[in-house]
Amino acid sequence: MSALGDEIRALIGQEGPISLERYMALALAHPTHGYYMNRDPFGAEGDFTTAPEISQMFGELIGLWAAEIWAAIGGPDPLRLIELGPGRGTLMSDALRAARVAPEFRAALDVCLIETSPALAAIQHDTLLTAGAPVAWAAQLEDAPDGPAVMIANEFLDALPIRQYVRGPRDWRERLVGLDGAGRLTFGLAAEPERSIKGPAEEGDVLEINALGHRLMFEIGARLARQGGAALFIDYGHTATGFGDTLQALRAHRMVDPLVDPGEADLTAHVDFAAMARSARAAGAAVYGPIDQGDFLKALGLEQRAQALSSRAAAAQAADIEAARLRLTGKGPGQMGALFKAMVVANRQLPVPPGFQALAGAAI
Ligand code: SAH
């Protein structure tokens, strides 16, 4: 058992079973032993690989996307370019480099990175040292400076802790983390039913609630409605709210048991985009999508960008570019194009954002 595992078992021994939300929050963000707190989890050596780590094209296209939003809202100076959960800082670094083609946009940028992990903030600092734009850090969005903003969140919402409720023969019960007879962490159910969940369901159905995500989407929707701008969310998840247990733990690119060695594996859950959209809309913002990541990137010109890069590259590099293009946009198994979705929350005055034109008129 990890050090954090021992700590969580002691906590449960004293206080009784804890919610999955609290368990995930401890496993990911415990100040000393939390998964994100003291490591670099990305890439071949790490536990998982994200789109910006696959290819520079991803961040570049998003940088140009941000420049188009900036132009559409009248080119405010400063523009707060806010990234939630920036990982290694790779996306932002690629975005700022691509933004060189729009010098006025680049000059207006005031970058703010929202990051809880000191270890990752240090890596972001090194990555962005020479990026040529002022960069500041905040632990939460409410500490970011006010004003018109473009926000970016890639694989952020899936890292927020969720609650799970399980439908029994008669009622819903919250899934809790407790101890078995041998003192090991195990899943169980709350003694009391959760009466606030309504609607038809079958025994065994699992409902996931991302309360932190809801709060954040409401905050973002309200901010963009008041101060202008747009927020881009890219993540894996489903377009319609449904039932299912999507909690997963990844370690060294393999699925592992989420209750074994907390703090040593990445814990995530699929994003319920419809639920997130409801909160942003309730706060007065428009929502576009979600659409498949593959369609979004193609609409932004990924294929042309890949061709341009390949034409200047050696054969081996050209093969890498082609592999990255396929991984980011392909819709088959092991590819990200359909598994991942893109969704935009925006001020209602904003025209249809780039990448979503195929949905024109379908702001929901
Ligand atoms: N966007 C990056 C990293 C995704 S991993 C990429 O695509 O490569 C999730 C990121 O969110 C990490 O940087 C993690 O430290 C950060 N994070 C997780 N929970 C957070 C929270 N509640 N507040 C701020 N950052 C958080």
Side-chain angles (χ1 to χ4, degrees):
M1 239 315 146
S2 56
L4 183 57
D6 290 338
E7 203 172 313
I8 293 176
R9 285 187 303 153
L11 171 77
I12 295 170
Q14 278 167 11
E15 295 184 14
I18 58 175
S19 67
L20 176 61
E21 184 182 55
R22 184 151 181 217
Y23 176 78
M24 276 183 86
L26 286 167
L28 293 175
H30 180 283
T32 42
H33 305 304
Y35 175 74
Y36 282 116
M37 289 321 203
N38 43 28
R39 77 186 69 225
D40 173 4
F42 306 100
E45 304 284 296
D47 295 309
F48 59 97
T49 304
T50 57
E53 303 298 333
I54 290 170
S55 168
Q56 66 183 73
M57 297 185 288
F58 188 80
E60 289 170 347
L61 292 172
I62 290 176
L64 299 178
W65 180 88
E68 286 196 46
I69 299 284
W70 172 77
I73 59 176
D77 185 355
L79 176 78
R80 313 296 184 191
L81 181 59
I82 302 176
E83 187 177 0
L84 299 150
R88 278 181 176 162
T90 308
L91 189 160
M92 185 57 75
S93 159
D94 294 333
L96 292 174
R97 194 183 53 253
R100 285 197 194 134
V101 299
E104 286 179 23
F105 164 68
R106 207 157 173 277
L109 288 180
D110 178 40
V111 177
C112 183
L113 304 178
I114 310 297
E115 178 58 69
T116 42
S117 159
L120 289 174
I123 296 174
Q124 292 152 18
H125 188 265
D126 290 349
T127 308
L128 295 169
L129 215 51
T130 54
V135 182
W137 279 262
Q140 45 188 10
L141 182 62
E142 63 188 31
D143 298 330
D146 283 343
V150 171
M151 303 188 201
I152 298 161
N154 187 60
E155 290 210 45
F156 175 75
L157 293 171
D158 69 284
L160 299 178
I162 55 156
R163 288 179 180 250
Q164 284 186 338
Y165 297 88
V166 183
R167 176 73 195 196
R170 275 177 305 279
D171 46 34
W172 289 95
R173 307 268 164 147
E174 182 167 9
R175 179 170 276 164
L176 302 176
V177 177
L179 300 176
D180 67 11
R184 283 180 304 242
L185 295 174
T186 185
F187 284 119
L189 293 177
E192 290 298 314
E194 176 60 52
R195 297 186 207 281
S196 63
I197 304 171
K198 308 272 190 262
E202 287 175 22
E203 191 171 344
D205 282 346
V206 175
L207 179 68
E208 297 183 331
I209 304 282
N210 184 345
L212 221 67
H214 277 288
R215 227 173 299 149
L216 187 80
M217 295 305 281
F218 193 90
E219 185 186 341
I220 289 173
R223 176 181 168 141
L224 295 172
R226 261 197 329 268
Q227 303 181 16
L232 171 65
F233 298 88
I234 300 183
D235 227 307
Y236 55 103
H238 33 275
T239 45
T241 301
F243 297 124
D245 174 2
T246 73
L247 175 69
Q248 62 180 41
L250 265 187
R251 188 171 181 180
H253 299 266
R254 283 171 192 277
M255 299 269 208
V256 295
D257 182 334
L259 297 186
V260 170
D261 290 343
E264 300 297 319
D266 185 35
L267 296 184
T268 60
H270 285 203
V271 174
D272 180 346
F273 280 101
M276 296 296 104
R278 282 195 290 276
S279 286
R281 237 179 275 127
V287 178
Y288 300 87
I291 58 174
D292 287 352
Q293 168 175 299
D295 298 339
F296 177 66
L297 294 176
K298 281 186 194 167
L300 296 189
L302 182 97
E303 284 167 337
Q304 294 84 330
R305 181 74 190 127
Q307 256 168 15
L309 283 176
S310 293
S311 65
R312 290 185 248 127
Q317 261 179 314
D320 286 349
I321 294 164
E322 176 59 8
R325 183 189 71 77
L326 274 174
R327 181 128 181 241
L328 292 173
T329 59
K331 298 198 176 182
Q335 299 176 318
M336 301 173 77
L339 182 63
F340 281 72
K341 315 278 180 204
M343 185 174 89
V344 165
V345 173
N347 183 289
R348 292 189 163 280
Q349 310 294 319
L350 198 82
V352 179
F356 291 83
Q357 267 93 5
L359 292 174
I364 41 176

